[in-house]
């Protein structure tokens, strides 16, 4: 893809007043960040917010692992332990992973499609600032009478119907975060469909834009479903309804159906943008075009469609009829096909490429390796009789952390190192990046690999105490978790060092990188593509 360089950025505000004081950049100071409608600023806000939430969720996780370091109750009481597991899940999913990918979308999509900004700039600001009160509600809920919700991140009824005020705060926080997600998605869809540079057809778009376009449609489809489930929980709690209360003729299993109809597409919402990032990075460092671009687009669409018909594989132990179990088992296995297509295409892209192994590429390859392992354990859990044995054990915990930590998180790290030179104008410290990668990948496996064996041996999830035969693997997992947590401070150091200075980055720091974002200077100017580039 070749492009004509854009004309110099220009500001509407400047035109309106007949001068161009604001021509070159943003206003300085605190209010710049509060009132900004610039997609780069908002992307930066999302990324820093998600990292703060990642550290918060990580502290909760380390408290959990400290408690589980040896058998017996050590540090926290069982009730607080359940609050920790619940809030760790909610904060990581809704506070860390999803906002981080929206941050990438804000920064990169306008640059990749040659748009001057996102379609709805003020709504973009609003959708970010909604996250701050939502996150505050979640954290405050620890300090209200009865503490935070302890019903699990899925907030299953009837448990969630019996929690204290912390449950209500979590419900409101999720409503606000859902509204933010829907606004962000509408913005992304409108931007991609209406603001691409002349000559950029849909099938010439970078894969990252494709994955986000599909993800946005999924978010708009499922966030209202979650809102419905938690609103019904709220009315059961306070307004005398009996949606999930068996005593009043309701059905607690109905909550699971509604929740997982949201929850399973949500899992793919958290991985498709990761696929997009990896699909940008691997061709750049293999110095070859992405193998099978069209099949990647179709595979992404297939995953999205299939994700809506597999939700009840989370519910094999609820007394489902055999026909239902078979349907959900085969439908779940079917999703492995388009996912396998993607893995094959990434490997085929690397095949006989002139590869170099800078930090973004290391994280991308680490992602493929460890994510594939997570995919295989998912296939094992898709088999109904096996799942009935492994339901709610540590095997499931191992599986979804392989997909979400080694999947979403590793892809995000890859994306940050890949685009950091474009964002800051400086090259990051390659030694720190590689140290972060090797520490992360080793300690991640040290933490979560033993959990497969714990689950196979029958250790249940969400318990603060356990039988002595599980002690050794738990000790190993806890040591790995603390080392993995500390490794993320290396990442923080690398990013701050890069933001503050470092070797000047070229406009196109990666030799094999393709796309419009590499045609603008590094750091990317405050306003880009005022004159749309021509895509040849």
């Amino acid at each position: 893809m070749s492009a004509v360089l854009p004309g110099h950025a220009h500001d509407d505000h400047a035109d309106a007043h007949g001068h161009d004081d604001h021509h070159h950049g943003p206003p300085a100071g605190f209010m710049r960040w509060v009132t900004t409608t610039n997609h780069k600023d908002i992307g930066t806000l999302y990324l820093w917010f998600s990292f703060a939430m990642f550290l918060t969720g990580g502290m909760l996780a380390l408290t959990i692992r400290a408690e589980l370091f040896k058998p017996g109750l050590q540090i926290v009481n069982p009730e607080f332990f359940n609050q920790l597991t619940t809030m760790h899940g909610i904060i990581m999913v809704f506070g860390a992973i999803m906002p981080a990918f929206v941050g990438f979308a804000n920064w990169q999509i306008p640059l990749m499609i040659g748009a001057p900004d996102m379609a709805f700039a003020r709504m973009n600001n609003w959708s970010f600032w909604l996250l701050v009160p939502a996150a505050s509600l979640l954290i405050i809920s620890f300090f209200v009478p009865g503490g935070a919700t302890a019903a699990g991140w899925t907030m299953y009824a009837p448990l969630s119907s019996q929690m204290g005020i912390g449950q209500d705060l979590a419900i409101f926080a999720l409503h606000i975060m859902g509204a933010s997600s829907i606004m962000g998605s509408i913005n992304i869809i409108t931007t991609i469909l209406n603001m691409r540079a002349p000559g950029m057809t849909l099938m010439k778009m970078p894969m990252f834009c494709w994955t986000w376009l599909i993800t946005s449609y999924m978010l708009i489809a499922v966030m209202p479903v979650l809102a419905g489930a938690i609103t019904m929980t709220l009315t059961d709690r306070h307004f005398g309804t009996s949606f999930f209360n068996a005593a009043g003729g309701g059905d607690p299993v109905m909550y699971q159906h509604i929740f997982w109809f949201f929850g399973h597409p949500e899992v793919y919402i958290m991985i498709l943008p990761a696929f997009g990032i990896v699909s940008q990075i691997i061709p750049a460092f293999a110095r070859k075009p992405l193998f099978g671009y069209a099949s990647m687009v179709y595979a992404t669409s297939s995953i999205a469609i299939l994700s809506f018909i597999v939700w009840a594989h989370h519910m094999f132990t609820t007394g489902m009829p055999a026909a239902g179990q078979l349907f959900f088992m085969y439908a779940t296995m079917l999703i492995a096909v388009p996912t396998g297509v993607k893995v094959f295409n990434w490997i085929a892209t690397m095949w006989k490429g002139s590869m170099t192994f800078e930090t973004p590429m290391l994280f991308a390859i680490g992602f493929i390796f460890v994510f594939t392992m997570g995919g295989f354990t998912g296939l094992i859990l898709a088999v109904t009789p096996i799942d009935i044995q492994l339901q709610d054990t540590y095997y499931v915990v191992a599986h979804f952390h392989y997909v979400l930590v080694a999947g979403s998180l590793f892809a995000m790290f890859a994306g940050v190192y890949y685009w950091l030179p474009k964002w800051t104008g400086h090259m990051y410290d390659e030694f720190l990046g590689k140290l972060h990668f090797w520490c992360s990948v080793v300690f991640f496996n040290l933490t979560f690999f033993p959990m497969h064996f714990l689950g196979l041996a029958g250790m249940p999830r969400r318990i603060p105490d356990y039988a002595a035969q599980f002690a050794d693997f738990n000790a190993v997992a806890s040591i790995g978790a603390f080392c993995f947590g500390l490794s993320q401070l290396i990442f923080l150091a690398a990013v701050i060092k890069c933001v503050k200075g470092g070797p000047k980055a070229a406009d196109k720091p990666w030799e094999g990188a393709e796309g419009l974002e590499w045609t603008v200077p590094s750091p990317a100017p405050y306003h880009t593509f005022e004159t749309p580039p021509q895509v040849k």
Side-chain angles (χ1 to χ4, degrees):
M1 189 188 294
S2 61
V4 179
L5 269 170
H8 196 79
H10 209 60
D11 191 347
D12 300 342
H13 190 71
D15 288 346
H17 293 280
H19 59 74
D20 55 3
D21 301 346
H22 302 273
H23 192 81
H24 293 298
F30 174 71
M31 286 312 284
R32 162 188 174 180
W33 298 100
V34 176
T35 58
T36 182
T37 53
N38 183 284
H39 72 97
K40 302 178 183 77
D41 280 356
I42 293 170
T44 304
L45 285 169
Y46 267 109
L47 290 167
W48 278 113
F49 170 84
S50 67
F51 190 70
M53 295 308 283
F54 171 60
L55 293 182
T56 308
M59 309 260 262
L60 303 183
L62 293 184
T63 316
I64 294 167
R65 285 315 321 170
E67 175 58 61
L68 293 174
F69 181 65
K70 58 183 189 184
L73 293 174
Q74 327 292 331
I75 301 168
V76 296
N77 64 33
E79 180 61 21
F80 186 63
F81 183 87
N82 283 344
Q83 295 176 28
L84 289 173
T85 52
T86 300
M87 296 304 283
H88 164 70
I90 292 174
I91 286 172
M92 285 304 203
V93 169
F94 297 101
I97 292 185
M98 291 170 69
F101 280 135
V102 181
F104 278 109
N106 263 297
W107 247 106
Q108 290 309 128
I109 288 173
L111 287 179
M112 287 176 156
I113 64 173
D117 207 303
M118 297 294 277
F120 304 114
R122 288 182 196 281
M123 186 165 87
N124 204 12
N125 172 289
W126 178 225
S127 61
F128 170 74
W129 282 108
L130 280 177
L131 292 177
V132 178
S136 310
L137 284 176
L138 286 176
I139 291 159
I140 288 165
S141 70
F142 276 113
F143 305 102
V144 298
T149 171
W153 83 274
T154 54
M155 299 191 289
Y156 273 4
L159 210 50
S160 54
S161 308
Q162 299 158 12
M163 291 284 143
I165 191 175
Q167 178 70 50
D168 299 317
L169 293 179
I171 287 172
F172 286 131
L174 289 184
H175 270 304
I176 297 169
M177 286 174 159
S180 164
S181 288
I182 289 171
M183 287 198 285
S185 301
I186 291 168
N187 214 342
I188 288 166
I189 291 171
T190 311
T191 305
I192 291 176
L193 294 186
N194 294 325
M195 298 175 69
R196 299 192 307 281
M200 182 178 283
T201 59
L202 282 173
M203 291 309 272
K204 282 186 190 166
M205 274 198 321
M207 265 316 293
F208 180 70
C209 299
W210 261 115
T211 54
W212 247 117
L213 180 64
I214 292 164
T215 301
S216 300
Y217 278 111
M218 292 171 74
L219 273 165
I220 290 172
V222 301
M223 287 317 282
V225 178
L226 174 68
I230 59 181
T231 305
M232 286 191 259
T233 308
L234 197 67
T235 60
D236 275 9
R237 288 168 56 78
H238 298 294
F239 301 109
T241 56
S242 296
F243 290 111
F244 310 128
N245 179 3
D251 182 4
V253 175
M254 180 171 77
Y255 179 89
Q256 298 191 27
H257 278 291
I258 302 170
F259 180 87
W260 285 114
F261 187 80
F262 148 80
H264 204 78
E266 166 68 15
V267 175
Y268 291 97
I269 285 164
M270 290 190 283
I271 201 68
L272 290 184
F275 290 169
I277 292 174
V278 170
S279 302
Q280 297 301 124
I281 291 172
I282 285 179
F285 293 94
R287 291 161 179 77
K288 275 175 65 188
L290 182 66
F291 179 88
Y293 171 89
S295 64
M296 287 292 249
V297 173
Y298 299 133
T300 309
S301 313
S302 311
I303 291 172
I305 293 160
L306 289 171
S307 75
F308 284 92
I309 59 163
V310 298
W311 77 90
H313 68 209
H314 297 268
M315 300 168 56
F316 282 147
T317 54
T318 54
M320 197 186 297
Q325 291 182 333
L326 282 169
F327 169 80
F328 285 108
M329 176 166 97
Y330 292 136
T332 304
M333 290 179 167
L334 200 57
I335 281 203
V337 177
T339 312
V341 167
K342 286 183 155 314
V343 173
F344 173 82
N345 285 8
W346 290 323
I347 292 168
T349 305
M350 292 189 278
W351 179 251
K352 295 194 172 172
S354 344
M355 290 208 288
T356 51
F357 298 97
E358 289 88 346
T359 310
M361 187 61 160
L362 288 177
F363 268 110
I365 294 171
F367 161 88
I368 294 174
F369 177 67
V370 198
F371 173 78
T372 305
M373 285 168 62
F376 277 124
T377 55
L379 265 178
I380 291 165
L381 289 169
V383 183
T384 310
I386 301 178
D387 182 82
I388 288 169
Q389 294 297 313
L390 296 175
Q391 163 85 4
D392 271 340
T393 66
Y394 262 74
Y395 192 89
V396 179
V397 178
H399 156 68
F400 68 70
H401 281 88
Y402 263 79
V403 176
L404 283 180
V405 182
S408 302
L409 192 66
F410 278 20
M412 283 183 213
F413 289 147
V416 170
Y417 287 115
Y418 182 59
W419 284 306
L420 208 52
K422 182 55 63 187
W423 296 345
T424 62
H426 306 291
M427 290 305 289
Y428 61 87
D429 185 323
E430 193 65 62
F431 172 76
L432 282 181
K434 286 185 170 159
L435 182 67
H436 174 223
F437 168 75
W438 287 111
C439 287
S440 290
V441 83
V442 169
F443 294 129
F444 166 78
N445 283 292
L446 192 65
T447 306
F448 294 106
F449 201 73
M451 292 184 189
H452 294 103
F453 302 118
L454 289 169
L456 290 167
M459 180 173 164
R461 289 166 71 171
R462 297 182 185 152
I463 52 167
D465 187 14
Y466 52 86
Q469 76 256 31
F470 302 132
D472 294 349
F473 277 141
N474 267 299
V476 169
S478 289
I479 292 166
F482 274 89
C483 295
F484 181 75
L486 290 171
S487 307
Q488 306 324 309
L489 298 178
I490 303 171
F491 173 64
L492 183 61
V495 171
I496 289 173
K497 185 176 175 188
C498 180
V499 170
K500 287 196 157 173
K504 182 90 184 72
D507 291 353
K508 186 171 145 180
W510 314 116
E511 188 192 323
E514 288 291 331
L516 293 179
E517 73 260 45
W518 307 111
T519 63
V520 301
S522 299
Y526 195 64
H527 297 287
T528 40
F529 298 124
E530 185 84 348
T531 313
Q534 279 297 133
V535 175
K536 304 254 190 325

